[in-house]
């Protein structure tokens, strides 16, 4: 990511009586020492436009300074985030700015600022003045997705006259709780050893985490906010299949690819970085060319392609693409399994933990006779399933998730949660009606066309 060094004047609303001093070669509008009050004393102020960056996750601010030698080194200073700002560049793109302050252990005399950088890009620097001074490195890392911030302060060795920019320390990645050593030997549609994995309770039945390892969560950014969007099904190390409508916003505009995040192995929506999950940024998102945005679920299917391969584990495994009969009449009466975090019978818009349910497929004739509207929103590329009992079945938020069947001991993806009728009282899905699924069989060759020689299906 290229960081454009474009500066902003910070805290223009502060009283003119506040004193400001320059920072040597860092004497530019966004960098200065400011006297706050007699209790706080002097602090450093900084602001920077994040340029072409369109995400606020994992922002790293670094300040290196030198000060007098300290008898007590228990406090070396800190960087504090003040706030993020926005600057609209055009009608479709928003640039973000970060405003921060840094405090130091001694402000009399004021420290010499050696280097200020954001995400490894140097914004300004001064030469080291003395070998005898104490050199301090302050750091601040913020992830807007998890709302987690991390600070560090350390003593560093920088010789006089030399400016040294060291790479920011990376947070050590946590290994999955259960890891398969023979990753390449994992077959599609199989479930790993889940006996030692923490269970989750669904409708009174115990389903251990890892029992539905192909279920993925799809998130999207709307401005600086990231929210859960849909479910999807992992079908290989580089492909996820979901519904096309999951990649359009409420105004029927296609969501930019840089605003989509896929999480593999997730089961608790409140813990996106739980042990065993993998966060993936898509390389390409293909919505079917025949998909129509408004009031037509024909070809409601999309394929997400990763740049790098996912790592399979007990929590992350692919479902098989359908290998049974291509005639959808042959699955009528069979029960498929679907899972997701969608609206539940208690009215919660999303559930923290995924719920799983078995539902039967019904014939097109029964579906069409059940409600007149189905004649307008079904086709040869769809089928209907559900109980029509008011409680059990996929609902709002379960879109894109798979309807999966056990075929000869392997779980095969046959349908995608596409659409349902609305309950006029709640505006949620009407679970007294059938749910429409996209039948993937007509699209299997299209799905496979995005797989390369290194990622077999």
């Amino acid at each position: 990511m290229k960081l454009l060094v474009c500066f902003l004047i910070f805290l223009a609303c502060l009283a003119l009586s506040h004193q400001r001093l320059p920072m040597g070669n860092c004497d530019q509008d966004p960098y200065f020492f400011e006297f706050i009050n007699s209790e706080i004393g002097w602090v450093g102020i900084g602001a920077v436009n994040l340029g072409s960056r369109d995400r606020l996750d994992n922002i790293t601010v670094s300040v290196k300074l030198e000060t007098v030698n300290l008898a007590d080194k228990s406090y070396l200073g800190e960087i504090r985030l003040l706030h993020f700002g926005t600057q609209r560049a055009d009608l479709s793109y928003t640039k973000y700015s970060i405003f921060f302050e840094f405090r130091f252990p001694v402000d009399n005399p004021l420290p010499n600022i050696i280097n200020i950088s954001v995400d490894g890009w140097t914004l300004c620097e001064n030469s080291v003045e003395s070998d005898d001074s104490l050199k301090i490195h302050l750091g601040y890392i913020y992830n807007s997705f998890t709302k987690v911030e991390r600070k560090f302060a350390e003593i560093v060795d920088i010789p006089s006259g030399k400016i040294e920019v060291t790479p920011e320390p990376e947070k050590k990645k946590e290994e999955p709780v259960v890891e398969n050593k023979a990753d390449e030997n994992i077959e599609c549609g199989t479930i790993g050893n889940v006996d030692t994995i923490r269970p989750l309770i669904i409708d009174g039945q115990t389903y251990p985490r890892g029992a539905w390892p192909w279920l993925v969560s799809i998130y999207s950014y709307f401005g600086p906010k990231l929210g859960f969007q849909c479910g999807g099904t992992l079908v290989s190390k580089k492909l996820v299949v979901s519904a096309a409508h999951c990649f359009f916003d409420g105004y029927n505009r296609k969501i930019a690819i840089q605003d989509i995040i896929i999480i593999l192995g997730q089961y608790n929506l409140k813990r996106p970085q739980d042990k065993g999950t993998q966060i993936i940024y898509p390389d390409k998102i293909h919505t079917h060319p025949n998909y129509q945005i408004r009031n037509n679920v024909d070809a409601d299917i999309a394929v997400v392609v990763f740049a790098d391969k996912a790592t399979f584990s007990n929590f992350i495994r692919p479902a098989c693409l359908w290998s049974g009969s291509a005639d959808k009449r042959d699955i009528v009466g069979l029960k498929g399994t679907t899972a997701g975090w969608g609206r539940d019978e208690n009215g919660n818009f999303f559930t923290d933990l995924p719920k799983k349910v078995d539902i039967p497929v019904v014939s097109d004739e029964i579906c069409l006779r059940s409600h007149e509207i189905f004649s307008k929103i079904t086709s040869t590329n769809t089928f209907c399933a559900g109980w029509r009992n008011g409680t059990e079945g996929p609902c709002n938020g379960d879109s894109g998730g798979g309807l999966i069947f056990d075929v000869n001991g392997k779980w095969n993806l046959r349908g995608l949660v596409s659409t349902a009728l609305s309950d006029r009282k709640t505006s949620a899905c009407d679970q007294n009606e059938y749910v429409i699924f996209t039948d993937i069989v007509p699209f299997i060759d299209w799905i496979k066309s995005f797989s390369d020689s290194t990622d077999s299906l």
Side-chain angles (χ1 to χ4, degrees):
M1 178 201 71
K2 184 178 180 181
L3 182 67
L4 302 179
V5 182
C6 178
F7 303 112
L8 301 175
I9 298 177
F10 177 61
L11 295 180
C13 60
L14 288 178
L16 294 177
S17 59
H18 283 202
Q19 301 177 58
R20 295 179 177 179
L21 291 176
M23 295 180 179
N25 291 335
C26 290
D27 181 17
Q28 302 173 61
D29 284 337
Y31 307 113
F32 47 83
F33 294 114
E34 181 163 280
F35 185 81
I36 303 300
N37 54 46
S38 57
E39 291 184 5
I40 296 177
W42 291 87
V43 300
I45 297 294
V48 62
N49 188 343
L50 296 176
S52 59
R53 184 168 192 155
D54 47 31
R55 288 194 177 93
L56 301 182
D57 52 311
N58 291 329
I59 300 293
T60 301
V61 179
S62 169
V63 175
K64 293 184 175 69
L65 56 90
E66 65 175 330
T67 185
V68 295
N69 216 334
L70 303 175
D72 181 5
K73 297 181 175 61
S74 59
Y75 179 74
L76 298 175
E78 64 181 316
I79 297 177
R80 297 183 180 184
L81 173 68
L82 296 177
H83 65 89
F84 285 105
T86 60
Q87 177 185 11
R88 184 163 296 279
D90 54 48
L91 295 178
S92 62
Y93 182 74
T94 301
K95 290 185 177 180
Y96 299 100
S97 303
I98 183 172
F99 297 81
F100 57 91
E101 73 174 26
F102 48 97
R103 300 190 179 185
F104 17 83
V106 175
D107 63 1
N108 185 19
L110 285 169
N112 173 42
I113 303 304
I114 300 170
N115 177 277
I116 300 176
S117 64
V118 173
D119 294 338
W121 290 85
T122 296
L123 304 180
C124 70
E125 55 189 6
N126 294 301
S127 296
V128 175
E129 294 178 347
S130 172
D131 285 337
D132 296 328
S133 61
L134 182 69
K135 285 80 171 179
I136 297 172
H137 180 196
L138 306 178
Y140 175 90
I141 302 173
Y142 178 76
N143 189 307
S144 65
F145 180 25
T146 59
K147 307 300 181 186
V148 172
E149 62 179 6
R150 186 165 66 92
K151 301 177 183 179
F152 62 86
E154 58 185 355
I155 297 174
V156 292
D157 181 22
I158 305 175
S160 177
K162 181 179 179 181
I163 300 169
E164 181 179 281
V165 182
T166 58
E168 300 297 337
E170 294 184 0
K171 188 176 181 179
K172 184 178 180 181
K173 294 183 178 179
E174 296 177 319
E175 295 298 326
V177 175
V178 179
E179 185 177 355
N180 290 280
K181 295 181 180 180
D183 176 70
E184 298 297 330
N185 296 327
I186 291 178
E187 297 182 296
C188 70
T190 62
I191 296 172
N193 176 18
V194 296
D195 294 337
T196 60
I197 305 175
R198 180 173 41 182
L200 60 93
I201 307 299
I202 305 174
D203 294 333
Q205 300 180 28
T206 301
Y207 290 90
R209 184 186 176 202
W212 214 241
W214 31 78
L215 176 64
V216 307
S217 55
I218 300 173
Y219 288 76
S220 62
Y221 279 94
F222 294 96
K225 295 182 178 180
L226 186 68
F228 175 74
Q229 182 84 349
C230 278
T233 302
L234 184 70
V235 295
S236 75
K237 287 192 172 184
K238 295 183 70 173
L239 299 183
V240 162
V241 179
S242 186
H245 76 263
C246 291
F247 302 98
F248 290 80
D249 65 15
Y251 299 97
N252 293 321
R253 299 172 302 194
K254 196 166 185 179
I255 301 172
I257 190 171
Q258 63 266 25
D259 290 332
I260 298 291
I261 288 178
I262 310 291
I263 302 183
L264 313 180
Q266 184 177 16
Y267 90 107
N268 189 333
L269 287 185
K270 291 184 177 180
R271 298 177 64 88
Q273 289 185 313
D274 206 354
K275 292 182 179 180
T277 63
Q278 294 178 41
I279 297 178
I280 303 288
Y281 293 102
D283 183 50
K284 295 179 182 177
I285 298 175
H286 301 277
T287 54
H288 197 275
N290 293 339
Y291 173 70
Q292 297 180 24
I293 298 173
R294 287 184 172 86
N295 303 320
N296 193 332
V297 297
D298 192 52
D300 187 12
I301 184 171
V303 176
V304 180
V305 182
F306 307 156
D308 301 313
K309 290 183 178 181
T311 301
F312 292 160
S313 69
N314 274 355
F315 299 154
I316 301 170
R317 291 179 173 225
C320 300
L321 291 178
W322 185 255
S323 60
S325 170
D327 192 335
K328 64 180 177 180
R329 292 175 296 185
D330 291 338
I331 62 173
V332 171
L334 299 181
K335 293 179 183 178
T337 303
T338 187
W341 295 270
R343 191 181 181 107
D344 63 12
E345 66 275 10
N346 299 317
N348 298 310
F349 286 103
F350 298 110
T351 58
D352 294 346
L353 306 180
K355 293 194 174 185
K356 188 166 70 169
V357 65
D358 297 335
I359 55 175
V361 178
V362 300
S363 67
D364 286 350
E365 292 77 15
I366 291 177
C367 184
L368 291 171
R369 286 199 301 267
S370 69
H371 200 291
E372 60 184 9
I373 194 65
F374 283 129
S375 64
K376 300 178 181 179
I377 57 176
T378 59
S379 75
T380 57
N381 294 334
T382 66
F383 62 83
C384 298
W387 290 108
R388 301 183 76 203
N389 61 5
T391 58
E392 293 180 90
C395 195
N396 302 64
D398 291 319
S399 289
L403 188 65
I404 302 180
F405 296 79
D406 186 342
V407 179
N408 299 322
K410 290 187 176 181
W411 290 97
N412 280 227
L413 174 66
R414 179 61 191 253
L416 304 174
V417 179
S418 178
T419 192
L421 303 187
S422 297
D423 185 327
R424 293 183 179 180
K425 293 182 180 180
T426 64
S427 297
C429 63
D430 188 347
Q431 293 189 321
N432 290 303
E433 301 292 348
Y434 294 119
V435 175
I436 299 173
F437 291 80
T438 301
D439 187 355
I440 74 159
V441 167
F443 306 103
I444 285 182
D445 289 341
W446 180 73
I447 295 171
K448 290 182 176 180
S449 70
F450 303 113
S451 178
D452 57 35
S453 59
T454 66
D455 184 45
S456 59
L457 279 171

